[in-house]
Amino acid sequence: MSNHAVVTLNFTRPVYAHELRPGDVFAFPDAPHTPLTVGGVKKTVISPELTLLALALHGRRAEPVHLPASTPVRPLRMVRTVSLTCLLCHKPQDVELDLPHDGEPLSLVCGDHAPDTAQNTEGE
Ligand SMILES: [Zn+2]
């Protein structure tokens, strides 16, 4: 039974290019309707203030895109496995969330405490 309940916050904080990982989908703010899938990320530290990223993008172009790590991006898909501890029994549990859709995880109550009334009524 993985009947856990995760409390999430709306994922409204800004996201910067350095948070992207292979498999993520994002768009640049000036081209919000062009989803780009990250194939690979290479970091180059130029100075303490400046890190450059080389982002390989799936199917878009052969050359990676170079940009500062602090470039704001619009996340469209960022699946992350987050380890949360149950608020009630402190049992750790890994939860997979697509942050832009599911929100940012805040706290978790594991399936051990789910009330019977919390049954899923999908399929009506
Ligand atoms: Zn628990």
Side-chain angles (χ1 to χ4, degrees):
M1 298 230 288
S2 58
N3 212 5
H4 59 254
V6 184
V7 177
T8 55
L9 290 173
N10 281 342
F11 192 65
T12 53
R13 70 174 174 82
V15 172
Y16 301 99
H18 68 86
E19 296 178 64
L20 295 169
R21 295 186 198 169
D24 286 350
V25 181
F26 73 101
F28 288 112
D30 55 357
H33 302 297
T34 307
L36 303 166
T37 303
V38 179
V41 185
K42 244 188 220 166
K43 276 186 200 185
T44 308
V45 178
I46 306 290
S47 74
E49 293 82 32
L50 181 61
T51 299
L52 286 184
L53 300 179
L55 284 184
L57 301 175
H58 272 312
R60 300 297 301 189
R61 41 186 123 185
E63 290 289 304
V65 173
H66 295 267
L67 72 181
S70 57
T71 304
V73 296
R74 286 194 186 183
L76 301 174
R77 184 181 137 88
M78 284 175 77
V79 175
R80 297 289 183 270
T81 300
V82 188
S83 209
L84 291 171
T85 306
C86 174
L87 275 183
L88 299 176
C89 68
H90 307 293
K91 193 161 72 177
Q93 193 159 352
D94 285 345
V95 181
E96 196 171 81
L97 294 169
D98 180 6
L99 298 179
H101 292 118
D102 299 329
E104 190 123 60
L106 187 62
S107 60
L108 170 132
V109 173
C110 79
D112 293 357
H113 322 286
D116 291 342
T117 51
Q119 273 175 3
N120 204 333
T121 54
E122 256 177 50
E124 259 180 42

